Amino acid sequence: MTVDSPGRPGHPALPARLPADVPIDMPLQNFRARGTGGGPTPDPLAGPSNGSDTLTSPEGMSSRRLLLFLLTMLLATTASAAVQDSLLGDGIDLWDVALLVLFFPLFAWIAFGFLNALIGFVLLMTRMHPGFVPVPQNRQPLTGQTAVLIPVHNEDVDAVFGRIARMIHAIEAAGEAGSFAFFVLSDSGEESGAQEVAAWEVLAPGSRVPLYYRRRTDNVARKPGNVADWVRRFGGGYDHMLVLDADSLMSGDAMIGMAQVMERRPSVGLLQTVPTIRGATTLFQRWMQFNSRLYGPISTAGLVWWSGSEASFWGHNAIIRTRAFAESCGLPVLPGGPPFGGAIMSHDMVEAALLRRRGWAVHLIMIDDSYEEFPPTLIDMAVRDRRWAQGNIQHLKLLGSDGFHPVNRLQLAIGASAYMTSPAWLVLILTTIAQAFAGESKLVEATTSARVLALTVILLFGPKLLGIIWAVSDRSRRAAFGGARAIIASAIAEIPLSMLSAPVIMLTQTMDLISIFRGQPSGWSPQNRDRDGLSIADVVPRYRWHLAAGVALLLISPAVPITALWLAPVTLGLLLSPWLAKWSASNAAGSRADARGLFQVPASGIDQLPATEASALHAIAH
C-alpha cells in the first residue's frame, strides 16, 4: 500500500505528489531458464558484431582476465610450494594437510588484490584509461527522460532533502531541468513520513525539476521491492533511472553526462560509478575516507581493466536503462528459508548478472563528483556489514543460474568469499596454534616460511605503497592531499590502525556468518549516519568475545612463544577492540587528527559552492 494523497489542506499551490501512472511490465525471472526476447538494439558505435551487440569493452578482455588469473595462481602456487617444503620436511600429518588446504585460497585472495592494484597503478601512472570511456567531452542537449530515485527508510530528513536540493540546483543551473524528475521513495514510518512530507512541501513548489514523493506502508522486499514498485507503476514514462541511496550526492555534470552516455550507447544497460566518501567527521570516518581516496583509485582502475562490459552493480550512484531493468531484473522470492531462501537481499550484483545475460552491457566507470557517506563508527559499519554478508552468502545458491556470464559468476563468488575468508583466517590461526601445542611448529620457525611471510607483507602492503606513489607523483594531487609529508604521516598513522582493526573485523564477520547459517535474520533497522562517540556500555557488550579471544591468546603465549610472537598483532587488536571502537567514534578525535594534518583528502567539488548559493540551498532544505 502507498500513501499518495496530495499535500496538506490549505496548500492549493502544491504540485502533484506523483505523476500519472505509466506502467511497464516487470516479469519475475527464472534462474533455471533465461527465457527469450528482450535485449539491446544494435549499438552503432560498438563496431562490428561477433554475435553480441554490446562491444563497448576494449579488445582483448579474455587475454586480460587470463593474465590476471595465471599470475594469481603463479603467486599462490609459489608460496604454497615454499610452505609445503617447510611442512613436509619430516613427513606429513593431519595438521600439515589442514594448513595447506587453508593457505592456498587465502594467499590467492591476497595475490589477486595486489595484482589488481598493480595493474591499476600502471594504468594511472602511464595515463592509459583502463576501459570504457563514458562521458562525452562535447555535451549535447538530452532528448530522453531520467528519473532520479532516492529510496529512504527513517533517515535524517533535513540531510536527505538538503542533498536533493543541491542536485536539483545543479541540474537547473546546467539547463536540463526538463530532462530529470526526482522521486523520494519512502519506506519510513508515520513519524518520519510526516517530516518527509513537510520537507517535500517546502522544496517541491520552488523546483523547476519535478520532485515527487511516495510512501509505502507495506514495505515488501525492502529497497529492491521499493524500486520494483516504482518501475511497474511509473517506469514506462522514463528512459533511464538514476538510483541513489539516502546518503548519495552527485553533481549536475555527472548526472547529465551519464544520461548522455545512455542516449548515445543503446546497448549499455547500466553505468556504475565509484562513489567517493564525503562528509567525514569522526576519526573512523576520516580514516576510512583517506583510505578510499588514496588507495581506492588504483584498485578501481584495475577492476575496470578486467571487468569490461561484465561489471557489477553496487545498488546506488548508478544509472540504469529502465526498459532493460524491467525486462531483465524482476526478482523472485527464492524457495526455502534463510540464509539461501527468501527475498534476495544483495540484489544489486544479481541484477547486474541478469542484465548481462539478456545482452545488456554493464560498465564500471571512473568519474568525478559521485559521493556517498560512510558509517561513523566501527560498530555501525559492522551492522551494515551484517546485512551485506547475509546477502552475499545467499549468492552461493545462484552461482549455477542459467545464462550468467562467467565473470558475473566470479563476481558473485568473490562477494561471498570476501566474508568467508574471515572464518578461514580464524581456522588457520587456530590450526597453527594447535600444531604448535602438538610440537609441530615448523610453519612459523622454518626459513622458507619467513620468506613466505615477507612475500605476504609485500602483497598486503604493496597496494598502500603504490597508492602513496601515485598520490605524490602529481603536484596538484599531492597538494590536494595536503602535501607529501601529510600523505606519508597519514599512511604511517593509518597502517597500525588497519592492522589493529583487521582481527576485530575477522572475528565479527565470523560470528556474523555463524548467526547467518543458523538462520538468524539481519533485520532492517535504519542506518546510523550521524553519531558522535560511543560509551563503554555501547562497546563492551559488542566486543566481549573479542576481549575473551584476546585474553585467551595472551594466556597461551608462554606455552608457544614463537607462535605467539607471530600472532601478536592479532592478540593486540582483539584486546584493544573496545578502546579502538570508542576512540575512533569521536568527532573530537577526528578534529584533532585534522588539525595535525592527518587524513587530508581532496575537497569535494560539489561542496565548493559560493556562500550565497550554500545559504539558499540551506534555506530551501529547511
Side-chain angles (χ1 to χ4, degrees), residues 400-468:
S401 299
D402 179 63
F404 279 10
H405 193 282
V407 173
N408 291 124
R409 298 185 202 275
L410 174 64
Q411 289 164 341
L412 293 174
I414 288 175
S417 64
Y419 293 95
M420 298 185 73
T421 54
S422 286
W425 279 113
L426 182 59
V427 172
L428 181 65
I429 290 171
L430 295 176
T431 303
T432 303
I433 293 171
Q435 188 186 47
F437 271 103
E440 297 286 338
S441 56
K442 295 172 289 187
L443 179 62
V444 297
E445 293 181 2
T447 303
T448 52
S449 295
R451 291 199 295 267
V452 171
L453 175 63
L455 178 59
T456 303
V457 170
I458 291 172
L459 298 184
L460 281 174
F461 294 98
K464 295 180 182 292
L465 178 60
L466 295 176
I468 293 170

Side-chain angles (χ1 to χ4, degrees), residues 231-372:
V231 171
R232 292 188 173 101
R233 184 174 173 185
F234 304 106
Y238 298 90
D239 302 279
H240 322 113
M241 54 184 191
L242 181 58
V243 181
L244 304 179
D245 264 353
D247 63 348
S248 298
L249 183 65
M250 295 185 72
S251 72
D253 286 342
M255 291 185 282
I256 294 168
M258 292 172 71
Q260 187 172 359
V261 174
M262 300 299 280
E263 293 185 355
R264 289 192 177 189
R265 306 306 297 260
S267 66
V268 173
L270 186 149
L271 294 176
Q272 173 66 65
T273 68
V274 184
T276 298
I277 297 175
R278 64 175 293 277
T281 56
T282 68
L283 178 65
F284 180 73
Q285 287 175 316
R286 291 180 185 274
W287 158 28
M288 293 293 106
Q289 180 179 254
F290 174 80
N291 284 2
S292 70
R293 300 293 293 273
L294 186 68
Y295 309 134
I298 60 172
S299 294
T300 299
L303 183 57
V304 173
W305 180 81
W306 66 263
S307 61
S309 59
E310 290 78 40
S312 192
F313 174 35
W314 297 339
H316 59 95
N317 292 52
I319 192 168
I320 310 169
R321 196 172 302 277
T322 310
R323 175 175 73 86
F325 189 83
E327 73 181 18
S328 306
C329 297
L331 298 179
V333 176
L334 299 179
F340 299 113
I344 296 175
M345 294 186 62
S346 291
H347 57 96
D348 36 23
M349 297 177 68
V350 178
E351 289 161 347
L354 290 170
L355 282 167
R356 193 64 190 92
R357 82 168 179 173
R358 287 275 184 180
W360 296 99
V362 178
H363 285 280
L364 179 65
I365 59 174
M366 299 177 68
I367 63 172
D368 295 327
D369 293 340
S370 175
Y371 303 104
E372 65 176 342

Side-chain angles (χ1 to χ4, degrees), residues 539-576:
V539 297
V540 171
R542 180 82 187 188
Y543 294 109
R544 63 186 184 278
W545 291 109
H546 301 70
L547 281 172
V551 170
L553 288 175
L554 191 64
L555 292 176
I556 67 172
S557 296
V560 285
I562 297 179
T563 301
L565 182 62
W566 281 59
L567 296 178
V570 176
T571 305
L572 187 60
L574 294 173
L575 290 172
L576 294 178

